[in-house]
Amino acid sequence: MALITRTVALISVISLASAYPAPKVSLYLSEESGVLDLNWDSAPQNLQQQLEQFGLSVEVATHGQPQLVGASSPAAYVIPVQNGHSFYSSAEDMRKVTEYVAAGGLVVLLDAAHGAGAATRDFVLKVLGYQGEWTVCSSSHPSSQDSRHIIRATKPQLSEWASVFLPPTAGGVLPETLEEARVLTALTWCRHQDAGAVSLPLYTQGGDETKVVAQAFGKAGSRGAVVWLGYSWKDGSQQRWGSLLQKLILAFANGSAYTAPSTGNAEAHPGTTIFDSVLEAATDAASEVDAVVRRMMTSAAGVYPSPVPSPEPEENGKPNKSPKPGKSPKPGKSPKPGKSPKPGKSGKSPKPDDEPEPEPEPSPRPGRSRNNGGRRMKQL
């Protein structure tokens, strides 16, 4: 009797599994385009194992990008840490990914081994079709040698914005905290200029919104989304990180958990007030400079105030006093001008020290002229 009961229960489970097949998940594990280096570490394989532990139907793409559009499209598309020399957004067909997300698909994107957030920014911008530039979106520690490693003081905590992206009634209750993994990346709360851009922090480091370890991206009117996770899975399966990943996939597999936003949420960003204040201050300063230049241009040409003489350098803390006018040395103290040699010794006056005087020509002897005329007459 007991055997019959167990057999009936097993048949019931198989029937339910046939009626409700496990959601299909595509996992990118291709090295062909240089996005991944599977010999670098075992993080991609660890991620695959955790997905299979959920009972999901995992389709591994080892030769390029998988088929994302059509009847066999997956409920979620997972891209491991990009530890190769190329970013996914520059190596694979992003048009297909964009079409997949626009149809309501979910892309779970892990961080890149280099770029300080550039791989994530470029991927999200292309997939969701943002117009403009990123105002804020970078690694929390871009100046460190390896921006993927951050100092953790507390466990990642669930953000209040997580319920906006995934209501508890629709996708289940998300874990309050996540494990402190050895390799963890944090980004700032990203903000884009596009009016329809949506970015929501799901988990932050100690409640600090400048250190976001899980972030969701969307766009007004789009039923799909991109969720960025800062854990690399290098440390293997994690219970709460795995629970977060599972709940995200099942929520989009049901098709009714996530609602397309009607507008962007740039105004909710904490940096909005600061950014606008800085922009306003810069505009006011530019206006003041322009007014000063205009006043100078309209004033009389060539008329400028005389420069103010700079003060004498101080000596021992006291300013040096310039000599009063008129206090020149007394005449008696200067060398006497009349001290020439006595008559009979020499007719030369002393030479000045600074200017040498040319030597005088010798005067002719008495009775002789320069033309020797006297010598000729004597001889005659």
Side-chain angles (χ1 to χ4, degrees), residues 1-346:
M1 186 66 180
L3 180 60
I4 295 173
T5 303
R6 285 196 297 270
T7 304
V8 171
L10 180 59
I11 293 173
S12 300
V13 171
I14 295 174
S15 300
L16 288 173
S18 301
Y20 301 98
K24 178 182 175 181
V25 177
S26 291
L27 177 64
Y28 181 80
L29 286 183
S30 175
E31 294 181 289
E32 293 182 354
S33 301
V35 178
L36 300 182
D37 182 1
L38 299 179
N39 295 322
W40 182 262
D41 55 38
S42 58
Q45 292 82 357
N46 294 338
L47 179 59
Q48 179 183 354
Q49 292 176 4
Q50 181 137 39
L51 289 171
E52 292 173 345
Q53 291 173 4
F54 301 148
L56 302 172
S57 175
V58 182
E59 177 189 57
V60 179
T62 57
H63 299 285
Q65 184 172 275
Q67 182 67 31
L68 297 174
V69 182
S72 60
S73 62
Y77 182 35
V78 181
I79 302 175
V81 170
Q82 303 168 55
N83 54 13
H85 58 80
S86 300
F87 291 157
Y88 188 100
S89 58
S90 60
E92 298 293 353
D93 188 359
M94 294 298 291
R95 294 174 299 175
K96 294 296 183 182
V97 184
T98 300
E99 188 177 351
Y100 168 71
V101 172
L106 168 68
V107 176
V108 178
L109 178 70
L110 272 61
D111 197 59
H114 57 92
T120 302
R121 293 193 299 270
D122 197 47
F123 186 93
V124 173
L125 185 144
K126 289 182 178 179
V127 168
L128 296 173
Y130 289 168
Q131 300 297 320
E133 302 292 335
W134 289 99
T135 305
V136 180
C137 193
S138 62
S139 173
S140 293
H141 298 273
S143 60
S144 61
Q145 184 176 3
D146 185 357
S147 61
R148 298 175 62 233
H149 297 264
I150 63 173
I151 300 175
R152 296 172 297 279
T154 58
K155 294 180 179 180
Q157 300 176 2
L158 183 67
S159 171
E160 61 181 2
W161 295 98
S163 59
V164 177
F165 177 72
L166 195 63
T169 56
V173 179
L174 297 177
E176 287 294 328
T177 60
L178 300 174
E179 290 88 353
E180 295 183 64
R182 181 165 51 94
V183 180
L184 193 64
T185 306
L187 292 179
T188 57
W189 181 355
C190 297
R191 181 193 182 196
H192 198 274
Q193 292 178 344
D194 194 302
V198 176
S199 59
L200 296 168
L202 304 181
Y203 286 85
T204 62
Q205 198 70 29
D208 188 350
E209 293 177 343
T210 65
K211 297 179 181 178
V212 183
V213 298
Q215 190 162 183
F217 298 91
K219 190 174 184 181
S222 176
R223 297 189 295 115
V226 177
V227 174
W228 173 85
L229 300 180
Y231 175 48
S232 68
W233 263 260
K234 184 176 181 178
D235 288 344
S237 299
Q238 303 288 334
Q239 180 181 357
R240 281 167 285 180
W241 278 99
S243 175
L244 169 63
L245 181 59
Q246 181 186 26
K247 291 180 182 297
L248 290 172
I249 293 173
L250 294 178
F252 277 81
N254 296 334
S256 59
Y258 177 71
T259 304
S262 57
T263 59
N265 73 329
E267 296 300 326
H269 196 280
T272 301
T273 304
I274 298 175
F275 177 78
D276 292 342
S277 299
V278 171
L279 183 62
E280 183 179 355
T283 304
D284 294 342
S287 300
E288 292 177 4
V289 171
D290 182 68
V292 171
V293 172
R294 289 180 181 275
R295 286 197 298 269
M296 292 178 62
M297 295 294 291
T298 55
S299 62
V303 179
Y304 296 96
S306 58
V308 179
S310 57
E312 293 286 340
E314 296 184 0
E315 181 178 353
N316 298 328
K318 298 180 180 180
N320 292 333
K321 297 181 179 180
S322 56
K324 296 180 180 180
K327 281 194 175 182
S328 55
K330 296 180 180 180
K333 292 184 180 180
S334 58
K336 298 179 180 180
K339 280 193 177 183
S340 56
K342 295 180 180 180
K345 290 186 178 180
S346 172

